[in-house]
Amino acid sequence: MPHPIYLTKSDLKTARSCSTKLYYKKLGYPTVDRVDPYTRILADGNFIISKIAHLLYPEGIYISANLNSDEHIAAAVQETIAQLQKENVTLFEPVLYADHKLARADILVKQGDRIEIIEIRVKGFDSKAHDELIKNRHLSLFRNKRTGKVGGEWRHIIEEVAYQVGILQEMLAEHLPQLQVEIAPYLIVPDRTKTTAIDNLASYFQIQRVSSPRNSFSKLNGVTINFSGDIQELWQDQFLTKVSIESEVAELVEPTISIAQKYIGYLIERSPEIFAPISKSCKGCEYRASAQDPRDGFKECWGDLAEVEHHVLELYQMGRIGGNETPLVNEMIEQKQVSMFDVPLEELNDETYSERQLIQIEYTQKNKEWISDELPSFLQKVEYPIHFIDFETSRMAIPYHAGMQTYEQVAFQWSCHTIAAPDAPPIQTEWLDLEHNFPNFQFAESLMECLGDRGTILTWATHENSVLRDIYYQMQAYDYQNPQLKAWLANTAKLGPRGTSHLVDMNALTLKHYFHPLMKGRTSLKCVLPAVWKTNAYLHEIPYFQEYYQEINGEVLSPYDVLPQLQIGDRIQVVNEGAGAMLAYQDLMYGENRDLSRDNQAMRSQWKELLYQYCRLDTMAMVIIWTHWHRLCRKSKPN
C-alpha cells in the first residue's frame, strides 16, 4: 500500500526549482498561473501527439487511476504489477510506485525480458542534427557540447524519464524479483526534419471535455480525443521520431533518485530543511494568494520583506547587479535590505543594463515619467503614414497540410491602426482567417495591400518581423509564386543576421526613451499601457479611446480588463492576452467548438469578435502610448 506521502514527477520538478514550493504544493496553496488542464493540453499539442503515439500501439491497455485516494493508487499499482507478469504487454499510463516515489509512464512495452519506457513529448526534435552529433562527436542533442554531460534544454525531460526508470527498477526488485529484464528508455517527439503526407491531419482529431477527478494525474486529464482518419495511413505517416535516451538516463538515474529521496525525507520528517533561503529567484514565485484562497506562499517566505514598497525584485534586470556568480541582490536580501533604493549606485556599472536601472531608481523616487532627450527629435523624423501592426499566430506540433513540417508558423490574424498625418485619427484595418487552409500567404498579401511601401511600420517587440521572415522562406519552400509579395517581404523584414528591418520596435524605443514608475522593471505592452492610461486622464477624453475607459470604485481599469466577455454556448469567453487568442483559434480549428461553430454562424461570429477585439486593442494600445509620447515631447520643449 502506498504511503499517503509520495513524490510524483511534477512534485520532483517543483522541488528542483525550489524545495519550499514542494511544501506549498503538498498543502494545496494557490498559484497565480493555475491553468485548466484542457487549456494546457490544447495549447501545446499534447492532446494530438499523445493520441497519435497511442494509436501506434493498438494493443495497448490503459491503466485507469486518479489521485483521489490511496486505495485508487494502490489498485493501479497492483494492476500494473499484474500486467507486467505477462510475457508481452503494452500499457498506457501504468502507475509506478516504490518507497514513496510515484510516477506514470506514458507508454510501457514489455516483450519478454525487455521493457521499453516511452515518454511522449511535444518538444520539437531535429533527428538529423542528433544523428550527426552521435556520428561525428560521440555526443547527442541531449548533451552539453563542451562537457559531454547531460544538460541543456532536454535535461529536465531526461530527469523525468530517469525518475520513472529508477522507480520501475525498485518496483520490480520488490514485487517481481524473478524478472530479469533490460529497461530501455525512449522519447517519442515531433521531428522537425520530417513532413506529413496527410493533408489537414489535425482536422481528423477532435477533443472533448469529460468529467475527470480533480486530482487525476493523467497527461490526458479531463480530455477525450477522437480520431476520424485512416489509422493505416497514420501508421505509415511518421513525422514523429522514437529516439533512444538509454545512455543519458543511465547517467541520471542514481542522482535523480537520490535527490528525490532527500525531498521525501523532508516531507516525512517535516524537516525545516525543506524551506529554501529566499533569493532573487523568488521573483517568479507562483505561490501567491487568489480570490478564493488567501494563503500566500511568497509572503510566508518573505514576511515583512514582501510588503516593502519599490521592491528590489522590481528593478530592471536586478539579477545582473554584482555579476552572475554572487549577485548583489542576494546579499541585500540576506541583509534584509530589499528596497531598490538600498542598491549602492556605484554597483550599477553594467554597460548594457545600468543606465536603465539608474533611470528607474531616480524616477521612481521622483514618482515622475521620464523621456530621453532624443525622443522628441525621433518622433519629428518619423515618416507618415504611421502603421501600428500586431499579429496573432500559432505553432502546432501537428503539420497543417501535406508536405509541411511540425511547428511551422501559422499567421491567422493581423490588426493595423494607421495614422495618415499628424493629428489625424487612427483608422483600423484587420484580417482574420478561420478556414481550414494554410493562411500565411493570404495573410501577407492582405497586409502588403494595407501597408504599401510608404510610411513607418511600428510593432511591439520582434514577433512581427519573425513572422514575416518565416513567410518569406515558406514562399520558397512551397514554391508560392508572387514576386511582388516576395520583394515586399524582403524589403520589410530582417531576413538574416546581417539584414535590416523596416519595422520599428516600440518595445526597444521604450527601453531607450521612456519610463513610468508604474511599469516598474517591465516594458511589455500589457505593462506600459496601463501605466500610461491610468495616470493621464486626458487620454480618456479622446473620442477614439473612450470605449476603453472604465472606472470601478475609483480605480481606472486597464483597457485589457475592459474587453467584454461573451456568452458562447454554455461558457463565458474572453480573449485578453496573446495565449488566449491562440487557444481560441486552435479551439475553433480543432477543438470541441469546431463543429458547433461551423454549423452555427452566430457562434462563429461571436468567436470572430472575441479575436478581433483583442488584436484590435493591441494596436490601439500602441496608438495610445504613441499619442502620449507626442504630448510629453511637446511639453518638454523649452519656452
Side-chain angles (χ1 to χ4, degrees):
M1 288 284 292
H3 192 281
I5 292 178
Y6 50 80
L7 195 79
T8 67
K9 287 190 299 182
S10 65
D11 290 338
L12 179 59
K13 184 177 179 180
T14 297
R16 294 299 294 268
S17 68
C18 171
S19 55
T20 312
K21 290 182 182 180
L22 175 63
Y23 170 80
Y24 294 137
K25 185 171 188 274
K26 286 300 184 182
L27 290 177
Y29 273 50
T31 59
V32 294
D33 65 343
R34 184 173 292 157
V35 178
D36 180 272
Y38 163 81
T39 300
R40 191 182 300 278
I41 291 169
L42 187 63
D44 65 17
N46 268 345
F47 66 109
I48 296 181
I49 294 297
S50 295
K51 181 67 174 182
I52 291 175
H54 285 179
L55 289 172
L56 298 177
Y57 295 88
E59 72 282 7
I61 300 169
Y62 183 79
I63 303 296
S64 178
N66 64 67
L67 295 184
N68 270 356
S69 70
D70 300 324
E71 288 76 17
H72 289 160
I73 295 171
V77 170
Q78 291 303 316
E79 183 181 357
T80 299
I81 292 170
Q83 294 288 350
L84 287 174
Q85 295 180 60
K86 297 178 180 178
E87 181 71 11
N88 300 308
V89 70
T90 297
L91 303 177
F92 296 151
E93 300 201 5
V95 180
L96 312 177
Y97 175 82
D99 192 17
H100 309 290
K101 300 181 291 293
L102 183 67
R104 295 191 86 162
D106 288 336
I107 301 175
L108 185 150
V109 180
K110 180 175 182 289
Q111 293 180 320
D113 59 359
R114 176 182 169 85
I115 293 178
E116 292 184 358
I117 283 186
I118 302 169
E119 180 80 359
I120 307 166
R121 289 288 174 154
V122 296
K123 184 176 177 59
F125 180 76
D126 188 326
S127 60
K128 290 182 179 178
H130 180 71
D131 293 342
E132 287 176 3
L133 282 170
I134 293 174
K135 179 181 178 181
N136 299 324
R137 301 182 59 180
H138 305 290
L139 292 171
S140 73
L141 283 184
F142 311 126
R143 294 184 177 276
N144 185 289
K145 293 180 182 178
R146 183 174 58 85
T147 66
K149 300 292 185 181
V150 179
E153 57 187 9
W154 290 92
R155 182 181 172 93
H156 76 278
I157 296 174
I158 307 295
E159 283 182 338
E160 289 190 14
V161 182
Y163 191 51
Q164 297 171 51
V165 170
I167 296 172
L168 180 59
Q169 288 172 341
E170 293 183 34
M171 183 175 168
L172 293 175
E174 178 182 356
H175 297 283
L176 300 171
Q178 72 278 12
L179 290 182
Q180 299 298 314
V181 297
E182 169 196 4
I183 301 176
Y186 289 87
L187 296 177
I188 285 182
V189 286
D191 194 333
R192 293 183 183 274
T193 69
K194 297 182 179 180
T195 62
T196 182
I198 303 175
D199 202 31
N200 294 315
L201 174 60
S203 68
Y204 293 108
F205 295 87
Q206 186 175 19
I207 66 171
Q208 292 180 330
R209 273 183 156 175
V210 295
S211 65
S212 178
R214 177 177 177 271
N215 292 323
S216 172
F217 66 132
S218 163
K219 183 171 284 190
L220 298 178
N221 178 26
V223 173
T224 293
I225 307 101
N226 299 313
F227 176 67
S228 59
D230 186 330
I231 292 183
Q232 295 289 336
E233 187 180 19
L234 187 66
W235 288 343
Q236 297 169 9
D237 179 74
Q238 274 310 295
F239 70 92
L240 301 181
T241 286
K242 180 182 176 184
V243 55
S244 172
I245 50 173
E246 188 166 356
S247 66
E248 289 81 8
V249 166
E251 185 177 309
L252 295 186
V253 167
E254 184 177 346
T256 301
I257 295 298
S258 176
I259 193 71
Q261 291 295 166
K262 182 182 79 169
Y263 295 133
I264 290 167
Y266 289 165
L267 293 172
I268 293 175
E269 298 164 13
R270 299 185 179 182
S271 170
E273 290 184 69
I274 198 171
F275 298 108
I278 59 176
S279 71
K280 68 182 183 68
S281 301
C282 299
K283 178 178 181 178
C285 180
E286 66 272 25
Y287 285 90
R288 311 287 181 124
S290 68
Q292 295 76 32
D293 192 333
R295 292 178 299 172
D296 192 306
F298 177 81
K299 289 184 178 180
E300 288 189 24
C301 284
W302 282 70
D304 292 341
L305 297 181
E307 305 294 342
V308 171
E309 192 176 10
H310 309 307
H311 210 286
V312 70
L313 295 183
E314 298 170 356
L315 184 62
Y316 176 70
Q317 295 291 342
M318 54 85 189
R320 304 274 184 169
I321 307 172
N324 291 325
E325 294 298 323
T326 54
L328 177 63
V329 67
N330 281 348
E331 296 179 14
M332 292 175 57
I333 292 169
E334 189 175 345
Q335 296 165 9
K336 301 187 185 303
Q337 296 179 322
V338 297
S339 167
M340 71 173 70
F341 305 143
D342 294 328
V343 176
L345 299 185
E346 64 272 14
E347 294 288 344
L348 302 181
N349 50 24
D350 186 288
E351 293 182 2
T352 305
Y353 307 109
S354 293
E355 182 178 0
R356 184 72 181 181
Q357 292 168 335
L358 288 166
I359 289 168
Q360 182 180 351
I361 291 172
E362 178 183 354
Y363 283 85
T364 300
Q365 284 179 315
K366 294 178 178 178
N367 194 27
K368 289 176 59 179
E369 292 175 280
W370 167 85
I371 60 170
S372 71
D373 293 337
E374 297 80 23
L375 184 60
S377 61
F378 173 83
L379 295 184
Q380 287 178 356
K381 295 175 183 177
V382 169
E383 180 186 354
Y384 286 83
I386 303 175
H387 305 285
F388 303 83
I389 64 170
D390 178 71
F391 300 167
E392 302 303 331
T393 62
S394 173
R395 287 186 184 271
M396 286 187 65
I398 311 304
Y400 274 67
H401 292 287
M404 291 186 65
Q405 296 176 328
T406 185
Y407 287 114
E408 286 207 45
Q409 182 97 255
V410 174
F412 62 86
Q413 182 178 11
W414 59 258
S415 173
C416 175
H417 274 90
T418 298
I419 300 177
D423 299 322
I427 303 300
Q428 203 259 341
T429 313
E430 56 195 357
W431 184 92
L432 173 65
D433 173 81
L434 289 181
E435 304 302 325
H436 282 268
N437 300 309
F438 181 58
N440 287 21
F441 304 135
Q442 289 70 37
F443 170 100
E445 287 167 344
S446 61
L447 184 68
M448 176 180 66
E449 182 178 349
C450 172
L451 301 182
D453 296 315
R454 293 177 52 251
T456 304
I457 305 172
L458 293 171
T459 68
W460 201 279
T462 59
H463 176 62
E464 282 69 25
N465 187 90
S466 299
V467 173
L468 296 180
R469 180 193 62 210
D470 285 357
I471 294 175
Y472 175 86
Y473 288 113
Q474 285 171 330
M475 287 185 69
Q476 299 181 45
Y478 302 120
D479 194 28
Y480 186 78
Q481 297 300 317
N482 185 333
Q484 182 185 5
L485 176 62
K486 186 175 181 181
W488 183 81
L489 290 170
N491 185 59
T492 302
K494 181 179 179 180
L495 301 180
R498 296 183 180 180
T500 57
S501 173
H502 283 81
L503 307 178
V504 179
D505 178 2
M506 286 184 68
N507 182 72
L509 292 177
T510 300
L511 273 172
K512 189 174 182 181
H513 299 295
Y514 178 71
F515 173 76
H516 191 297
L518 292 183
M519 290 163 45
K520 300 180 180 179
R522 299 166 294 179
T523 59
S524 74
L525 188 58
K526 305 300 186 295
C527 294
V528 179
L529 175 65
V532 169
W533 182 253
K534 292 182 178 184
T535 56
N536 292 281
Y538 79 92
L539 291 168
H540 312 156
E541 304 300 324
I542 297 175
Y544 37 84
F545 298 158
Q546 286 179 348
E547 67 176 291
Y548 298 112
Y549 176 74
Q550 188 173 332
E551 188 175 319
I552 295 181
N553 297 326
E555 180 183 357
V556 177
L557 299 184
S558 165
Y560 287 99
D561 294 330
V562 174
L563 289 175
Q565 299 177 337
L566 293 178
Q567 174 84 38
I568 303 180
D570 60 352
R571 280 187 279 169
I572 299 293
Q573 305 282 358
V574 64
V575 173
N576 56 14
E577 41 83 28
M582 180 188 69
L583 293 172
Y585 175 73
Q586 291 185 357
D587 194 18
L588 279 169
M589 294 296 100
Y590 314 111
E592 62 181 350
N593 287 298
R594 178 185 63 185
D595 293 338
L596 285 173
S597 62
R598 284 180 188 169
D599 300 334
N600 188 325
Q601 289 303 312
M603 177 182 287
R604 191 174 184 82
S605 295
Q606 287 177 305
W607 278 107
K608 289 177 70 173
E609 180 54 29
L610 279 177
L611 288 166
Y612 273 136
Q613 67 186 20
Y614 167 69
C615 195
R616 191 182 298 146
L617 174 53
D618 266 353
T619 50
M620 184 61 91
M622 295 160 66
V623 174
I624 292 171
I625 294 165
W626 187 260
T627 301
H628 183 58
W629 286 358
H630 271 277
R631 179 183 172 94
L632 288 177
C633 289
R634 286 194 296 268
K635 290 174 64 177
S636 70
K637 289 182 180 179
N639 293 327

